[in-house]
Each structure stands twice: as structure tokens, then as C-alpha cells.
Amino acid sequence: DNKTALENVFDENPKRGIYPMLAADYDFIVIARKLVKTTPITIDHRHVKGHYTGDERRVEHDLNDLVDTMSKQFRKAPPRGFTPKSLSLIHKLQTAALISEGAIVT
């Protein structure tokens, strides 16, 4: 649902400086950019308005609702082996530059 984060993942010229690293979802953006670069297929991106209730509903809205429902079900009852024993502070694709009071700046 975050259009700006999606645009930042696929931005050919990522913004420079400290401010982009302080943006919401920066950790997601770093991981997603690396996944897009290493995935051996072409990925086309398109923002889909979440929880759409308008008159011009498209298949993208139905798929968004389906994935939202599936993720809620997964979080309620994850299959055995998918429940983390402890929360990892850093995803394996990230490099931490600073960890302070539970916040990570990468």
C-alpha cells in the first residue's frame, strides 16, 4: 500500500544523502532493491490502492485483497517451522550502520 516505498525500490537513480535513510520503510526498500536485482526475471511494478471500494474495481484490487487476507491468516497461525524463535534485528541482506535504542539505521 505504500506507493512511495514501491517507487523507491524501482527508482533508477536512488536519492542520495542521509534523509532517504531516515525515511519510513527504508529497511524494506534496501531488501527489496537487492531482491529485484538478484531475481532472474523481469519485474514490472504497479501501485494498487489498498482496500479499494470504488466503482472501477479491477483484478489488481481483488488480488490485493486476497493477499491481505492470506497474510492475516498466516500471522494468526503460521505453519510449523515458520514461527521465529527470536526476532532478528537485521535481515541477512542488510548491513547495519547503527543500532540505537532498538532502532536500526542502515
Side-chain angles (χ1 to χ4, degrees), residues 22 27 89-90 96-106:
L22 299 175
D27 54 344
L89 290 177
I90 303 170
L98 170 68
I99 300 176
S100 175
E101 298 179 19
I104 300 174
V105 178
T106 55

Side-chain angles (χ1 to χ4, degrees), residues 13 17 20-21 27 34-35 45 47 59 67 73 76 79 85 88 96 105-106:
N13 301 302
M21 290 186 275
D27 54 344
K34 288 182 181 180
L35 289 172
H45 66 284
H47 178 259
V59 68
V67 170
Q73 291 171 347
K76 284 181 185 175
K85 294 182 176 118
S88 173
V105 178
T106 55

Side-chain angles (χ1 to χ4, degrees), residues 1-11 15 23-25 28-29 47:
D1 292 346
N2 191 325
K3 184 177 182 180
T4 302
L6 178 67
E7 289 170 350
N8 287 334
V9 168
F10 290 93
D11 191 351
K15 283 101 184 134
D25 300 316
F28 161 77
I29 293 167
H47 178 259

